[in-house]
Amino acid sequence: MEIRPILSAMWRNRTGSILVAIQVALTLAIVTNCMFMAKSRIDFIARPSGMDVENIITVQSLGFGLAYEHGPTIVEDLRLLRAIPGVVSASSVNSIPMSGSGSATGFRAGLEEDAPRETANYYVLDEHAVETLGVNMIEGRPFHDYEILDAGSSNGDMTEQVIITQAYAEKLFGDESAIGQRVYDGLGESGEVVGVVEHMFGAWVSWSGLSQVLWFPRRPTGPAVRYLVRAEPGQLDSLMPVIEKTLADSNRNRLVRNVRSMQDAIAGSYAGDRAIAVVLFVAVVMLFVITGLGIVGLASFAVRQRTKQIGTRRAIGARKRDIIRYFLTENWLMTTIGLTIGTFLTIGLNYFLAAQFSIERLDITYLVGGVFALWVLGFLAVAEPARRASKISPAIATRTV
């Protein structure tokens, strides 16, 4: 089949062809960037936290009344929690990592005036923290039980020993080993680094320093305390009511609440990202539907307009497959022109978004995928109108009305 007659027919009916090409171009530009941004949000949510989040339960205990004793309560609670069948380990903590609530301050690698002060999320944890969180310790050791201090006036008070993440070790000490080095707070007090955790997220999932974390060996300041309880795989749901009842029955001078999975505890931190991803996916689906309907509408209109012309072609020997191929080729040309324009629009839109909102540059794979998807969409959208056109009888050519 020659392309020139098809191009001539498209030129004679250029308004519809131009509209389809523009629609395809805009769809490619918007859909490709939406898919890329949605996938970026999903990847953001799915980042490895370094912790066994899927198997951790969080619990909050709030003491009240004159009979409540904070320190002994924590010790007894942890003894009971660790004795429950199906519990791997448990630790007290001042706040839940990745929950959006936490504490941070700056520390230095030395007392020199030019020593930079680097911010870190800090957590107060005990000797079971490594096993409870499921993190990987790459240097040094966990805290010893005799190093765990009772609740002080502040969770952020410096201790003799600290554990830090690898990301924070690199911030403070560069390529040097952090083990045995000292970390200084704003008051000049220091603690020795006894362990380095490979990776762990802190409180605020959108913070650039999310992996900068420091641990103190201390029980949290009361009267509120949170516990992290790591369950054996598959035991999480069945353990939650047992944990709540065990703690509630052991001490009537406190309130046990918010017994839930760590995944639920941190869900709110990613709620906005999930909403953005859903909205972008819905926008992509709607644009595909609208574009497909537009192509179907134009093709159906073209068939009605060219009924006598199609009948004439059938009368002089054109086969059904020739008619189908004609409309498919015409649509392919319109779609290809739109995709060519849309490729430049896609790149331009991505550069604009990257400059205005600091998003990543578009992965070319998404552009190639978008082009292929719209080619397929164009083929499917025009298939039915082309089939109807092929069924037009040659006798139509003899009609005058």
Side-chain angles (χ1 to χ4, degrees):
M1 178 181 291
E2 294 185 11
I3 300 297
R4 187 173 179 181
I6 298 177
L7 291 173
S8 298
M10 288 172 58
W11 179 251
R12 288 194 298 271
N13 300 279
R14 54 186 174 273
T15 301
S17 301
I18 290 171
L19 287 175
V20 169
I22 291 174
Q23 188 176 25
V24 169
L26 291 174
T27 299
L28 178 64
I30 297 172
V31 161
T32 302
N33 280 285
C34 282
M35 286 297 295
F36 180 67
M37 289 189 290
K39 183 61 166 55
S40 296
R41 292 297 91 193
I42 292 172
D43 290 343
F44 179 77
I45 295 170
R47 293 173 300 171
S49 67
M51 299 172 286
D52 187 17
V53 172
E54 294 78 9
N55 293 305
I56 296 177
I57 299 167
T58 70
V59 188
Q60 185 178 33
S61 169
L62 179 61
F64 58 86
L66 297 177
Y68 175 73
E69 296 181 275
H70 187 65
T73 298
I74 294 177
V75 173
E76 178 62 12
D77 285 349
L78 290 173
R79 185 189 68 79
L80 292 170
L81 290 171
R82 291 164 187 161
I84 297 174
V87 170
V88 175
S89 185
S91 176
S92 56
V93 68
N94 57 317
S95 59
I96 307 303
M98 300 173 65
S99 65
S101 175
S103 302
T105 190
F107 300 92
R108 298 171 184 261
L111 287 174
E112 298 83 4
E113 291 185 3
D114 59 345
R117 188 173 182 178
E118 302 291 351
T119 303
N121 272 149
Y122 63 82
Y123 293 92
V124 296
L125 293 156
D126 63 22
E127 70 276 16
H128 292 267
V130 172
E131 188 178 16
T132 301
L133 290 169
V135 295
N136 180 31
M137 180 159 279
I138 57 174
E139 280 190 282
R141 61 171 176 82
F143 296 132
H144 294 308
D145 56 355
Y146 58 81
E147 294 172 339
I148 309 304
L149 303 178
D150 288 329
S153 59
S154 170
N155 288 324
D157 289 344
M158 182 56 74
T159 56
E160 286 297 320
Q161 302 83 23
V162 296
I163 291 175
I164 60 177
T165 56
Q166 185 178 23
Y168 196 49
E170 291 172 355
K171 272 283 186 181
L172 291 176
F173 308 111
D175 295 332
E176 296 180 41
S177 173
I179 300 300
Q181 304 266 23
R182 300 199 72 83
V183 173
Y184 295 83
D185 65 12
L187 299 176
E189 300 293 328
S190 69
E192 179 187 353
V193 178
V194 297
V196 176
V197 170
E198 182 178 20
H199 178 56
M200 173 187 168
F201 279 166
W204 306 289
V205 296
S206 297
W207 180 40
S208 59
L210 181 60
S211 298
Q212 295 172 201
V213 177
L214 179 145
W215 299 358
F216 292 124
R218 175 183 286 120
R219 297 184 181 92
T221 300
V225 59
R226 292 176 176 84
Y227 299 114
L228 299 176
V229 184
R230 186 181 178 192
E232 293 177 357
Q235 298 293 310
L236 186 141
D237 290 333
S238 61
L239 277 176
M240 284 195 281
V242 176
I243 289 170
E244 184 170 12
K245 185 176 188 306
T246 299
L247 294 182
D249 291 346
S250 70
N251 189 333
R252 298 296 182 179
N253 293 305
R254 52 88 176 278
L255 175 66
V256 178
R257 61 182 185 179
N258 294 333
V259 182
R260 53 182 176 169
S261 69
M262 189 172 178
Q263 286 182 314
D264 288 341
I266 66 179
S269 296
Y270 287 119
D273 299 289
R274 290 192 184 90
I276 290 173
V278 169
V279 169
L280 291 173
F281 275 124
V282 170
V284 166
V285 172
M286 290 181 65
L287 280 169
F288 268 114
V289 170
I290 292 170
T291 301
L293 291 175
I295 294 173
V296 169
L298 180 67
S300 299
F301 179 71
V303 170
R304 288 195 299 271
Q305 269 196 324
R306 302 176 193 174
T307 299
K308 190 169 184 179
Q309 176 188 343
I310 295 169
T312 301
R313 291 194 62 199
R314 291 294 313 281
I316 61 176
R319 294 164 296 182
K320 288 184 177 182
R321 65 184 182 185
D322 294 326
I323 302 300
I324 292 174
R325 186 169 60 180
Y326 176 92
F327 280 97
L328 290 177
T329 304
E330 182 181 64
N331 179 263
W332 179 83
L333 287 172
M334 286 187 293
T335 302
T336 301
I337 292 169
L339 291 174
T340 302
I341 299 170
T343 297
F344 293 101
L345 282 177
T346 301
I347 296 171
L349 178 59
N350 180 253
Y351 271 99
F352 171 78
L353 293 173
Q356 294 295 317
F357 304 105
S358 300
I359 67 171
E360 297 178 10
R361 292 298 170 85
L362 180 69
D363 185 340
I364 195 66
T365 310
Y366 288 83
L367 180 56
V368 174
V371 169
F372 178 76
L374 283 168
W375 263 331
V376 172
L377 177 66
F379 173 81
L380 295 175
V382 82
E384 177 58 24
R387 188 188 64 82
R388 291 201 307 268
S390 70
K391 291 185 175 182
I392 293 176
S393 171
I396 291 292
T398 61
R399 296 181 184 177
T400 58
V401 180

